[in-house]
């Protein structure tokens, strides 16, 4: 929903105006957002039965899941923006070296704010898809540990976590790898707690390889 851009804007405000570390600002919003959701829902499981909404999680077009089509559209849009537009070049420049970008005339704070708003919108879309798949929403569990999967997908995909280099196709491959790892561990009967540790180890190895290449 468009309203999910507001938390993203709030996150961006914490980073650009109050100079909070991005990871700290994100954790603040993560904890506060889950708390607000629990207050609104009363901590209860909320069911959704409207067919037009649940189709987001179950519908198929020409035999292809609508979720896959949404992913491909967003992937193509992201690749185009990052490689063919001035905004995309600004994003990479700010991620790589914000001070150098500022000295080059890039509106660093504005770019950061826009990126956080876009991130909020995409997170909202992802949340809607998860809820549509489950046909219910549990504010205690929705999105839990997904942040680890997101970081792992980016790291494994080859995007530099310290900025300056991004590969959307690599991130897609990283996401597919993390999902394959997740379901492999599930099939093998590995407990969730141990699976989280394994995914954390994957992130450490991927980041270590990045720094070694540098």
């Amino acid at each position: 929903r468009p309203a999910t851009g507001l938390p993203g804007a709030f996150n961006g405000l914490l980073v650009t105006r109050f100079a909070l570390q991005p990871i700290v600002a994100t954790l603040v919003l993560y904890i506060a957002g889950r708390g607000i959701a629990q207050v609104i829902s009363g901590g209860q499981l909320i069911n959704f039965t409207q067919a037009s909404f649940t189709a987001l999680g179950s519908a198929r077009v020409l035999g292809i899941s609508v979720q896959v089509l949404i992913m491909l559209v967003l992937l193509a849009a992201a690749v185009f923006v990052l490689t063919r537009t001035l905004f995309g070049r600004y994003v990479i420049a700010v991620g790589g070296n914000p001070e150098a970008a500022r000295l080059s005339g890039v509106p660093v704070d504005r770019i950061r704010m826009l990126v956080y708003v876009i991130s909020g919108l995409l997170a909202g879309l992802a949340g809607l898809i998860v809820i549509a798949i489950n046909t219910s929403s549990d504010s205690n569990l929705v999105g839990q540990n997904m942040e680890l999967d997101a970081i792992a997908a980016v790291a494994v995909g080859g995007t530099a976590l310290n900025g300056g280099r991004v590969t959307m196709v690599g991130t897609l491959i990283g996401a597919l790898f993390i999902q394959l790892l997740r379901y492999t561990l599930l099939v093998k009967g590995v407990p969730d707690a141990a699976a989280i540790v394994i995914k954390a180890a994957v992130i450490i190895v991927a980041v270590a390889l990045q720094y070694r290449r540098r």
Side-chain angles (χ1 to χ4, degrees), residues 178-199:
I178 294 302
Q179 286 299 100
L180 178 62
L181 176 64
R182 174 189 174 191
Y183 286 113
T184 299
L185 295 175
L186 184 64
V187 170
K188 295 296 182 180
V190 177
D192 287 340
I196 293 174
V197 173
I198 293 173
K199 285 190 286 187

Side-chain angles (χ1 to χ4, degrees), residues 110-170:
R110 191 186 310 166
I111 295 298
R112 279 179 168 174
M113 181 67 74
L114 286 173
V115 169
Y116 277 109
V117 170
I118 293 171
S119 177
L121 292 171
L122 293 178
L125 176 60
L128 288 176
I129 291 175
V130 171
I131 293 171
I133 292 174
N134 297 327
T135 65
S136 63
S137 174
D138 185 346
S139 57
N140 296 297
L141 298 175
V142 170
Q144 194 171 45
N145 296 324
M146 282 189 177
E147 69 281 2
L148 185 62
D149 289 342
I151 295 172
V154 171
V156 172
T159 294
L161 295 184
N162 58 346
R165 187 179 74 250
V166 58
T167 163
M168 296 304 302
V169 175

Side-chain angles (χ1 to χ4, degrees), residues 44-65:
Q44 301 298 314
L45 181 70
I46 299 177
N47 295 312
F48 296 86
T49 57
Q50 188 174 358
S52 59
F53 173 70
T54 56
L56 188 62
S58 59
R60 291 180 175 273
V61 178
L62 300 178
I64 303 175
S65 171

Side-chain angles (χ1 to χ4, degrees), residues 77-115:
V79 170
F80 175 81
V81 169
L82 288 173
T83 60
R84 302 295 181 183
T85 68
L86 183 61
F87 172 72
R89 295 183 186 278
Y90 279 175
V91 169
I92 296 174
V94 171
N97 191 326
E99 187 57 32
R102 192 188 310 276
L103 294 174
S104 300
V106 177
V108 174
D109 288 348
R110 191 186 310 166
I111 295 298
R112 279 179 168 174
M113 181 67 74
L114 286 173
V115 169

Side-chain angles (χ1 to χ4, degrees), residues 7-22:
F10 175 74
N11 205 359
L13 187 66
L14 293 178
V15 174
T16 59
R17 295 294 182 229
F18 297 96
L20 262 68
Q21 289 291 330

